[in-house]
Structure formats: structure tokens, C-alpha cells
Amino acid sequence: MPISANQERTTLPGSVALLLALPALLFALITWQVVADGPLVRLDERLSRVLVNPDRCSELLADLGNVPVAVPVLAVALGYAAVRHRRAGVDRWWLPVAAGALLMALVPALVVPLKELTDRPGTPVVPPGTGYYPSGHTATAVVAYGCATLLLLPWLRTALARRTLVTLCVALILGASYGLVRRGYHWPLDVVGSWCLCSVLLTSLWLSVRAVTPPGRSQPPGP
């Protein structure tokens, strides 16, 4: 029996299941190594000593993960997506917007307990203390810029505009991640762990956006 367009959009392909499982497993592995102070942590510390070089540029890049910088970007995208979905008469038009807002709220709800659980000390550059894994600034950047991109993609008319938006999103996330490591605010594994955690969150949002994208609109590409 032929599969309709709506059925196809709501079908969970095996590749998406892999996108959910692989980063989740990698996050579990990294977290285990951090808690157990395993060999991956020692490699991480050696890599950090090579990469750390605090300067003004790295500090500015790290600020891209600050809540006052990243969250307003997401708020604008949420408002725009809500208006466009509502005007298009989309069923459950509120679902992607609510999912994006929920994902942003989940960042501190997930990251703070993990920081307390792992109790990882910071790099030699920062004041003595613990609770650096996973990186909250990285998670804020990934979720805020990633959610904004996924919400806006279906409404861009040209492939060039979509590629430009995705490129900008990746640049902002990588810039914030690089700045955090270069400045010494976080170990590299703190950043990678947040990437893995937020990949699962963004894949979930991507599924909700596809489920309500109006027929004839470009489906957002996979995460």
C-alpha cells in the first residue's frame, strides 16, 4: 500500500533512531569516564593544556553561550515560527514552538544535576571549584541556536537561504565551544558531552517540526 506524505513525515526511520541512540551512548561513555576518572579524562586534560590560551577573542566567543545572548535569539525564532504556523492554518501549530521552549527549559534541569553528580573540577585557568561537566554554556548555545534553526528552516524559500542558516548555526555553536575550551572555562570533554546530550534533544525537536510542516513546504533536513 502506498504511504501518504503525512504518514511518511511521521514515520521514524532507522537513521533517526540511530541519531538518538548514538549520541546517548557516547554521552553515557564520556560521563562514565568523568566519574571514574578514566583514561579518557587524562587524555582530555593533556589536550586542554595544548589548546588553552586565554585571550579576548576566546572570551567573546565563549559569551555566545551566555543565556542573555543565546536565549533572545531563540525567543525571536519561537515567535516567528508561531505566527507563520498559525497563519498557515497548521494543525497543532503550537507543537514545535512549545517543544523548542521546553527544550530550552530542560537545559538547566538536566545540566545542573549532572554537574552535581559528576563533580568535575575545572581547568587550572579557572578558580578552584567543581561542577564543570557537562558545559552549560555549550548546551545553551546548541539548544538555542539549533532550535532556532530547525524552527526557521521550513519557512525559507531557497536552498541557499537554508544552507546559509545552517552554516550560521554551526558557526555559532562551534565558535562558542572553541571559545570555552580556548579560554579555559571548560575541558574539551565538557563541551563534547554537551554536544551529545543536546543532539538527542534537537533530534526530538526535529521530529516534531516534521510532523506539523505544511504540505508543500520544505522539510527540515536531518540533524
Side-chain angles (χ1 to χ4, degrees):
M1 177 183 296
I3 298 177
S4 67
N6 288 335
Q7 289 174 320
E8 185 178 1
R9 285 203 302 270
T10 55
T11 300
L12 179 64
S15 59
V16 176
L18 182 62
L19 284 171
L20 287 168
L22 187 59
L25 290 174
L26 184 56
F27 177 75
L29 171 63
I30 295 173
T31 303
W32 165 60
Q33 283 291 288
V34 169
V35 173
D37 195 25
L40 195 59
V41 169
R42 292 188 287 275
L43 177 62
D44 184 45
E45 292 171 350
R46 289 197 296 270
L47 179 61
S48 178
R49 286 193 290 270
V50 174
L51 295 176
V52 169
N53 184 20
D55 55 23
R56 180 58 177 166
C57 180
S58 62
E59 186 172 350
L60 291 174
L61 288 173
D63 287 343
L64 292 172
N66 285 344
V67 168
V69 177
V71 172
V73 174
L74 175 59
V76 172
L78 290 173
Y80 181 83
V83 171
R84 294 302 301 268
H85 278 84
R86 183 68 181 274
R87 288 179 178 175
V90 178
D91 293 337
R92 297 179 298 167
W93 61 268
W94 47 267
L95 179 59
V97 177
L102 177 61
L103 255 60
M104 195 71 253
L106 280 176
V107 169
L110 292 174
V111 169
V112 172
L114 285 167
K115 285 178 176 289
E116 295 179 356
L117 173 66
T118 56
D119 200 34
R120 190 182 192 188
T123 71
V125 177
V126 297
T130 58
Y132 283 86
Y133 175 89
S135 167
H137 280 71
T138 303
T140 299
V142 173
V143 170
Y145 302 134
C147 282
T149 299
L150 288 175
L151 290 170
L152 295 177
L153 275 176
W155 303 104
L156 298 180
R157 296 181 179 276
T158 67
L160 177 60
R162 291 190 289 272
R163 284 195 296 267
T164 301
L165 179 61
V166 171
T167 301
L168 177 60
C169 172
V170 172
L172 289 172
I173 292 172
L174 292 181
S177 303
Y178 173 81
L180 290 166
V181 173
R182 185 73 167 175
R183 181 63 179 76
Y185 288 145
H186 279 285
W187 305 100
L189 277 184
D190 300 344
V191 170
V192 176
S194 287
W195 287 352
C196 296
L197 177 63
C198 295
S199 293
V200 177
L201 299 179
L202 289 180
T203 300
S204 302
L205 176 64
W206 171 63
L207 293 174
S208 71
V209 172
R210 286 179 62 88
V212 299
T213 299
R217 285 287 177 187
S218 299
Q219 291 290 342

